[in-house]
Amino acid sequence: MTSSAASTPSSSPDLGILFDVDGPIASPETRTIAIESILDDIVTLTRLGVPIAFITGRSDAFIRDAVITPLLARGLAEALDTPGARMFGVYEKGATWSTISSDGLGDVVIDESVAPPAALIDEIRSLVENEFSDIVFFDDTKRAMISVEQRTDVSNDDFRARRDAFDDAAYDAAIRHGVGVSHGDRRHPDDSGETPFRLDPTIISTDIESVLLDKDRGARRALEHFLSLGEVPKRWRTIGDSRSDYKMADELHATGYDVSHVDVRPSDGILEKPYDVIVEGDLIHDEAGAAFLRHWVTELGRTTA
């Protein structure tokens, strides 16, 4: 484990960044970018030529409204028009993706093969509306996964107190529809003996998603896009607040890149990895993300001045 201040950039911005969104950029409480320096620093790094991708479980609509729209208001369009500037979005953990240009999000590509059955989607929506609407809402913006999220007017303690009840009901619903599903140590295969879907609880939600989806898949998608545009940096940083976010760095490390991962919620347990894991002192969530960004703006600003 190290601190970001120990990193020394080269004389050119040999750096690429893969961002999780909830936690390091968006506040898990407000679900918005609450620290304005995050917006300014992402724009600055984009202008400097750092390829940036958002690898998130969020929908493209959320990223458009909560991330790209405020970035455009801070000058992202001009930054993306700079020669060499690159930005990409992978949503729903790899189920959907799009380019990001000075015009905003491009056409969203959807991998329909990983989507849950429509009947299960409808039943989970009804389950939320009829039994759990006091603590969660159904995310209608998702295209290829199911997400049920804590309401912002509900405390996290109240949400967690009833999340297990929702997860049990959703697990049972999947079984009734003949969907092979896993949840923690539980596993119920479909008629072919497979479990192609899982329930994935987070600190503010429960997702029902294909087992093929995760942050390594998203990282691979983003890297393929950047490589299609030309040479990419050898040095990368990935940043996130959950253990699954380490998979972005796993993918880059396995592909031969120099990568370090920034953990903005190390209290969940820092994983042992063959690459450096960075923490920002006692800072967590978006405060840690803001410190990470300011560090690289300062360092790259020095070397490119």
Side-chain angles (χ1 to χ4, degrees):
M1 181 175 67
T2 185
S3 71
S4 64
S7 300
T8 304
S10 61
S11 58
S12 62
D14 179 30
L15 176 71
I17 306 175
L18 303 183
F19 283 102
D20 175 35
V21 173
D22 283 312
I25 299 177
S27 163
E29 295 181 2
T30 66
R31 325 285 165 81
T32 64
I33 299 179
I35 301 175
E36 292 192 358
S37 67
I38 289 176
L39 297 168
D40 294 331
D41 289 347
I42 289 175
V43 169
T44 296
L45 291 174
T46 301
R47 185 179 296 111
L48 289 172
V50 176
I52 290 174
F54 303 106
I55 313 295
T56 178
R58 288 289 189 177
S59 67
D60 58 280
F62 179 92
I63 299 304
R64 181 194 65 221
D65 296 341
V67 179
I68 301 305
T69 295
L71 282 171
L72 289 170
R74 303 300 273 259
L76 181 64
E78 293 83 358
L80 283 171
D81 283 336
T82 304
R86 290 169 284 178
M87 186 172 281
F88 193 66
V90 180
Y91 323 111
E92 302 184 41
K93 300 181 184 178
T96 65
W97 59 92
S98 76
T99 58
I100 301 172
S101 71
S102 57
D103 295 324
L105 267 63
D107 292 338
V108 177
V109 181
I110 307 169
D111 184 353
E112 301 282 1
S113 70
V114 298
L120 178 60
I121 296 172
D122 290 341
E123 178 158 350
I124 299 299
R125 183 187 289 107
S126 296
L127 180 67
V128 170
E129 292 173 352
N130 296 328
E131 298 184 36
F132 295 95
S133 62
D134 58 323
I135 59 164
V136 295
F137 66 91
F138 185 91
D139 187 350
D140 281 306
T141 68
K142 293 294 179 74
R143 301 174 187 260
M145 62 188 290
I146 301 171
S147 289
V148 174
E149 185 173 336
Q150 173 193 333
R151 287 172 37 168
T152 56
D153 61 342
V154 171
S155 74
N156 195 246
D157 287 342
D158 289 344
F159 165 71
R160 286 172 178 256
R162 293 192 61 202
R163 185 179 63 192
D164 287 349
F166 169 79
D167 289 353
D168 288 343
Y171 186 81
D172 290 343
I175 292 172
R176 284 196 301 275
H177 285 276
V179 175
V181 64
S182 63
H183 174 225
D185 294 333
R186 295 189 290 180
R187 180 178 180 272
H188 185 89
D190 58 23
D191 289 343
S192 65
E194 302 297 324
T195 52
F197 291 92
R198 65 181 169 228
L199 267 73
D200 182 25
T202 77
I203 62 170
I204 59 171
S205 69
T206 290
D207 298 327
I208 302 173
E209 62 196 21
S210 167
V211 297
L212 299 177
L213 300 178
D214 220 324
K215 294 300 183 77
D216 51 350
R217 183 186 181 103
R220 190 158 54 249
R221 178 74 63 186
L223 188 60
E224 288 172 356
H225 170 73
F226 289 140
L227 284 167
S228 73
L229 300 176
E231 187 176 353
V232 300
K234 295 297 183 184
R235 179 177 56 181
W236 288 81
R237 297 292 181 266
T238 61
I239 178 168
D241 70 337
S242 71
R243 304 318 90 188
S244 65
D245 289 319
Y246 281 75
K247 292 184 178 182
M248 297 186 289
D250 291 345
E251 178 68 22
L252 289 164
H253 178 76
T255 317
Y257 292 93
D258 174 6
V259 63
S260 297
H261 180 68
V262 185
D263 190 335
V264 303
R265 197 170 72 229
S267 62
D268 279 2
I270 297 174
L271 301 183
E272 290 291 332
K273 292 293 180 179
Y275 46 79
D276 282 343
V277 177
I278 296 168
V279 297
E280 294 289 349
D282 294 329
L283 300 176
I284 62 171
H285 297 146
D286 49 339
E287 290 187 354
F292 164 80
L293 283 161
R294 182 49 50 96
H295 163 75
W296 282 108
V297 165
T298 300
E299 289 301 308
L300 295 184
R302 287 184 191 141
T303 59
T304 59

